[in-house]
């Protein structure tokens, strides 16, 4: 897969001077262009030669960037930058010395070929079509970018074949490592067959290069972020190989960073100080079926759990013994499409029960850890329509009540752990497709509305859902999490941005990431204010730490 790259290598002339005792920067300079002069909102990155860790800052209103002294140790650094629609002439390096500060003024020029630099959200903003047509393409960003579609030359018949073929691939596939589903399993969804699919195929053929040598529509980029959005430091950690897909990222009590691998049978652990990665192989229990994990959770004993997807199992990792315990779907319930990707253990310590969702039929299971037996609660239904709840994420509170996020409509379903009673709540935005979330310290459920373009919050005590629409068009948030410091975060597979919500004021601050970043789960470390966000770049084989400065 040809990855988009907005990393712009910089040619810099470095002048060194003695850093004053009270100085706090070790590398600084200004970014400008002939078109704009001094440029605010440009992401500037520095990576030490031989290192797997890069640090990035953002230019202020005067076009100035500055790296704090505690972020860059002495050595030779490559300098990179990101600014939509711009590129630099060539790559050079900066020499950072002990007790000295380096300065480098960076010049940008307009980029000649804009297409490879667009985000998925910018493609959706640029292309003709209505919102319902474009929402179909939200199904297509999990494995590759939309650039592949608009640059293709398929006609409508060709796209009909593509729809069918794509439905036979594991969702953790990428062009680098495709995996076919096993047996008779398929992921064909509503809208990919029949008249609806034909209309979509005809629309796609009208906007790609099947009937024209170049697009008849102009390419549009999002404005650079300014003001408070520039007050941030990014630290990006490269993972050991490009096939790693860090789907979910979480911290344990000791500060270790754990991640689930969406395309391989590994549980990963990273040292946040050194970037050292340890991968623990997960046993294969269903030979011939796709390999990869999705939902990562950490229990009250600080042990990680993962949903092992089409292996039709979940796994617990004991950090002391460094061994996995596996629980598989009972054989009499298992199918070719069986998929245990999501689980909930937040309240497991209370009654020794683990909540699990099987994506095939969206049946809800409860696993009794005392007996190792599964209970099948079936698939809940919407009492208003009789339609099956299309559960995606499943989350539990301290009382081990379960909350189901209905990805096929706009419902949140609470299942009482003691009585089994189901209560259905409807999101204010119809068909918002809630996807992933987490219970906060007050027992409120925070979640992302993928097609509702919002963060949602259910307060079970009030029985009311509130929404906050995200600022960037076509952000399609995947997950949301709130910390104890009055803020909630979300990320996106489409914008290369993360969004921080001030819950009290309802105002967002967005941050532009240093490079293309396909984000799934978000994790907030709220030990300080503002909190620190951890995310995985699911197609970039890296983990990113986002630290707001105010």
């Amino acid at each position: 897969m040809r990855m988009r790259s907005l990393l712009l290598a910089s040619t810099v002339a470095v002048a060194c001077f003695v850093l004053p005792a009270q100085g706090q920067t070790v590398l600084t300079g200004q970014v400008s262009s002939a078109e704009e002069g001094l440029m605010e909102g440009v992401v500037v990155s520095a990576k030490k030669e031989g290192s797997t860790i890069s640090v990035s800052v953002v230019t202020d209103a005067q076009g100035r960037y500055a790296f704090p002294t505690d972020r860059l140790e002495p050595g030779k650094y490559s300098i990179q930058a990101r600014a939509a629609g711009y590129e630099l002439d060539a790559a050079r390096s900066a020499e950072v010395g002990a007790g000295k500060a380096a300065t480098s003024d960076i010049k940008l020029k307009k980029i000649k070929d804009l297409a490879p630099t667009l985000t998925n959200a910018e493609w959706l903003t640029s292309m003709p079509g209505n919102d319902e047509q474009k929402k179909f393409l939200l199904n297509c960003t999990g494995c590759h970018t939309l650039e592949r579609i608009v640059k293709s030359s398929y006609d409508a018949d060709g796209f009909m074949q593509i729809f069918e073929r794509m439905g036979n691939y594991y969702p953790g596939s990428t062009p680098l490592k495709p995996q076919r589903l096993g047996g008779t399993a398929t992921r064909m969804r509503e809208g990919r067959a029949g008249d609806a699919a034909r209309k979509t195929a005809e629309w796609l053929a009208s906007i790609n290069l099947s009937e024209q040598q170049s697009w008849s529509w102009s390419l549009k980029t999002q404005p650079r972020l300014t003001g408070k959005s520039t007050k941030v430091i990014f630290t990006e950690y490269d993972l050991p190989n490009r096939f790693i897909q860090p789907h979910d990222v979480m911290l344990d009590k000791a500060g270790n960073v754990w991640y689930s691998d969406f395309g391989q049978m590994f549980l990963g652990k990273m040292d946040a100080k050194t970037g050292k990665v340890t991968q623990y192989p997960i046993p294969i229990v269903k030979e011939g079926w796709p390999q990869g994990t999705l939902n990562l959770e950490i229990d009250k004993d600080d042990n990680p759990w993962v949903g092992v997807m089409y292996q039709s199992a979940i796994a617990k990792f004991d950090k002391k013994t460094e061994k996995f315990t596996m629980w598989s779907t009972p054989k009499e319930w298992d199918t070719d499409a069986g998929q245990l990707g999501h689980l909930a253990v937040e309240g497991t310590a209370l009654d020794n029960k683990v909540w699990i969702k099987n994506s095939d039929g969206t049946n809800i299971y409860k696993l009794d850890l005392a007996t190792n037996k599964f209970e099948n609660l079936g698939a809940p239904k919407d009492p208003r329509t009789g339609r099956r709840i299309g559960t995606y994420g499943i989350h539990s509170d301290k009382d081990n009540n379960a909350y189901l996020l209905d990805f096929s409509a706009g419902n949140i379903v609470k299942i009482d752990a003691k009585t089994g009673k189901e209560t259905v709540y409807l999101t204010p935005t119809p068909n918002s497709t809630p996807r992933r979330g987490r219970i906060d310290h007050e027992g409120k459920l925070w979640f992302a509305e993928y097609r509702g373009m919002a963060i949602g919050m259910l307060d079970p005590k009030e029985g009311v859902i509130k929404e906050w629409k995200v600022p960037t068009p076509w952000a399609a948030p995947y997950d949301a999490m709130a910390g104890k410091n009055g803020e909630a975060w979300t990320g996106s597979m489409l914008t290369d941005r993360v969004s921080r919500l001030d819950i009290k004021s309802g105002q967002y601050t967005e941050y532009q990431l240093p490079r293309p970043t396909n984000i799934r789960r978000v994790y907030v470390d709220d030990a300080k204010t503002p909190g620190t966000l951890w995310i995985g770049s699911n197609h970039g084989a890296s983990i990113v730490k986002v630290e707001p400065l105010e």
Side-chain angles (χ1 to χ4, degrees), residues 124-125 127-137 199-200 203 207 474:
L124 288 170
T125 300
M127 66 179 61
N130 59 48
D131 284 358
E132 288 307 309
Q133 289 173 317
K134 294 179 182 183
K135 282 183 178 180
F136 174 88
L137 293 178
K199 290 180 180 179
T200 299
W203 168 64
I207 65 173
W474 294 106

Side-chain angles (χ1 to χ4, degrees), residues 88-362:
L88 303 177
D89 292 333
R92 291 185 187 175
S93 60
E95 196 73 38
V96 174
K100 297 181 179 180
T103 60
S104 170
D105 291 336
I106 299 172
K107 298 290 185 181
L108 304 185
K109 67 176 182 179
K110 280 288 187 179
I111 197 167
K112 293 182 180 179
D113 185 6
L114 187 60
T117 72
L118 293 189
T119 66
N120 288 320
E122 288 169 336
W123 281 115
L124 288 170
T125 300
S126 300
M127 66 179 61
N130 59 48
D131 284 358
E132 288 307 309
Q133 289 173 317
K134 294 179 182 183
K135 282 183 178 180
F136 174 88
L137 293 178
L138 295 179
N139 298 320
C140 304
T141 58
C143 301
H144 55 74
T145 68
L146 298 183
E147 180 187 5
R148 296 175 67 90
I149 297 174
V150 295
K151 281 190 172 181
S152 73
S153 57
Y154 294 111
D155 59 13
D157 290 338
F159 273 117
M160 291 295 288
Q161 296 178 26
I162 291 294
F163 297 163
E164 183 175 357
R165 182 159 62 90
M166 291 298 100
N168 294 317
Y169 280 96
Y170 167 60
S173 294
T174 68
L176 285 175
K177 188 180 179 181
Q179 294 189 67
R180 295 296 296 265
L181 297 176
T184 60
T186 181
R187 296 175 58 239
M188 290 295 289
R189 296 175 180 170
E190 183 180 351
R192 293 189 182 183
D195 292 341
R198 185 70 193 185
K199 290 180 180 179
T200 299
E202 291 171 352
W203 168 64
L204 291 174
S206 73
I207 65 173
N208 73 348
L209 299 180
S210 61
E211 300 176 358
Q212 51 198 354
Q213 291 185 338
S214 61
W215 300 294
S216 58
W217 36 277
S218 60
L219 304 185
K220 303 172 184 176
T221 60
Q222 288 295 325
R224 289 195 309 278
L225 299 173
T226 59
K228 192 175 180 179
S229 295
T230 67
K231 312 300 182 182
V232 63
I233 297 177
F234 304 99
T235 306
E236 188 168 18
Y237 305 81
D238 295 336
L239 297 174
N241 68 72
R242 61 180 181 167
F243 297 108
I244 297 174
Q245 297 184 58
H247 194 286
D248 286 20
V249 175
M250 290 189 71
L251 272 61
D252 64 17
K253 295 175 183 176
N256 295 304
V257 183
W258 295 85
Y259 64 86
S260 59
D261 191 330
F262 199 30
Q264 301 179 111
M265 293 292 282
F266 290 102
L267 173 66
K269 181 180 75 172
M270 187 190 77
D271 186 311
K273 294 181 179 179
T274 65
K276 179 184 177 182
V277 173
T278 304
Q279 295 194 99
Y280 300 96
I282 301 173
I284 295 173
V285 295
K286 198 171 180 180
E287 292 286 352
W289 262 250
Q291 299 178 17
T293 68
L294 195 149
N295 190 187
L296 167 68
E297 299 292 343
I298 297 180
D299 65 19
K300 297 297 184 182
D301 296 324
D302 218 27
N303 290 317
W305 294 65
V306 287
V308 200
M309 294 293 281
Y310 282 90
Q311 291 291 303
S312 205
I314 66 170
K316 173 189 174 182
F317 182 71
D318 188 307
K319 295 200 300 184
K320 294 180 180 178
T321 64
E322 296 191 345
K323 293 183 179 179
F324 287 95
T325 301
M326 308 286 291
W327 291 270
S328 297
T329 302
K331 290 185 178 180
E332 62 271 23
W333 298 350
D334 199 16
T335 62
D336 287 352
Q339 181 190 160
L340 304 190
H342 298 266
L343 56 96
V345 297
E346 180 63 28
T348 297
L350 185 69
D351 59 7
N352 229 20
K353 304 287 180 66
V354 177
W355 292 94
I356 307 167
K357 182 213 71 175
N358 188 338
S359 292
D360 185 24
T362 63

